[in-house]
Amino acid sequence: MGKYEEAFSRLGERALARLEGPGGFLAVTEAHLVFVDEDGVRRLELARIRRVGGGEGGLLLVQGEGGSLEIPLKAFPLEELKAFLEGLKPHVARARKATSAPPPTPPTPSEPSSPPEPPKPVIWEEEAPPRRASVELAPEPEPSREAPLSEAPKRRNPLALPLRVLALLTLGYALAFVALNPGADPWALGGVVLGGLGLALTEWALATSSR
């Protein structure tokens, strides 16, 4: 066990992921990113990490809310450090989810409700200078929302009222003809009634149809 790893073991925390190099030791615990080097032990809370990218003077800068962690790039092999940073993403997401606040209690009618502020995304910068290690956390695509097409309103038939009046007049004329000619041929009277009724129904159907 190296001296850096031995210093970490004295913390009594379990390492979920670890990286040891010639100049330091990195470990991910349940709640922290821990860095050990000649200057001692430093840690940064996983849930507060917001940006990981190259800093000045050959340093890797891990920025969080209220603090940051500077890691010398020469302390680790570059490719192994990049792989470690890639594996850091799910641990940060898990920690942020575990520490997220519970849903607020519904307000009383006298208290207006306000939507909770969404958490800020973690940013992994994408740059590739010779001695800077950085990765990028791509934003998740948001599901598209398409509003349903509304049905076009139906236009009312402008001849509806005249056609209804004409239908009633046609039916009335046929009935009046039968009433005024009781001695006429029954077949002729029947034809007048059927013809008047059919014409009246046709005119009424045209009046109720929309354009």
Side-chain angles (χ1 to χ4, degrees):
M1 180 184 295
K3 62 178 180 178
Y4 301 128
E5 186 176 1
E6 183 178 355
F8 169 78
S9 65
R10 289 195 292 267
L11 299 177
E13 299 187 45
R14 184 170 65 93
L16 304 179
R18 63 182 65 200
L19 175 64
E20 186 170 11
F25 179 82
L26 273 172
V28 179
T29 68
E30 289 289 340
H32 295 89
L33 173 64
V34 182
F35 174 56
V36 185
D37 64 355
E38 296 291 343
D39 296 330
V41 179
R42 285 163 285 171
R43 68 179 70 190
L44 185 63
E45 190 174 347
L46 292 175
R48 295 182 177 273
I49 294 177
R50 293 294 176 266
R51 184 183 297 272
V52 179
E56 299 296 332
L59 296 175
L60 175 69
L61 186 62
V62 183
Q63 295 179 335
E65 295 179 359
S68 62
L69 195 62
E70 293 183 347
I71 302 172
L73 294 177
K74 64 181 180 180
F76 302 97
L78 185 59
E79 293 302 322
E80 294 182 12
L81 183 58
K82 284 185 176 181
F84 183 85
L85 293 176
E86 287 287 349
L88 182 63
K89 297 178 186 178
H91 295 291
V92 172
R94 172 189 53 78
R96 293 181 66 182
K97 184 178 180 181
T99 57
S100 60
T105 305
T108 60
S110 59
E111 299 178 357
S113 61
S114 58
E117 183 180 355
K120 298 179 181 179
V122 182
I123 301 175
W124 265 260
E125 296 178 348
E126 181 62 37
E127 300 177 4
R131 295 295 299 169
R132 299 179 70 175
S134 57
V135 291
E136 181 178 359
L137 182 63
E140 297 183 359
E142 297 183 358
S144 61
R145 299 179 181 176
E146 298 181 357
L149 298 177
S150 58
E151 296 182 358
K154 296 181 180 180
R155 297 180 58 186
R156 188 175 180 181
N157 191 345
L159 299 178
L161 182 58
L163 287 173
R164 290 178 181 177
V165 174
L166 184 59
L168 294 176
L169 291 176
T170 301
L171 183 59
Y173 176 81
L175 295 178
F177 181 83
V178 173
L180 295 175
N181 298 276
D185 186 5
W187 289 101
L189 295 178
V192 171
V193 172
L194 291 178
L197 181 60
L199 182 57
L201 290 176
T202 301
E203 293 167 346
W204 190 271
L206 291 174
T208 57
S209 64
S210 60
R211 295 182 64 184

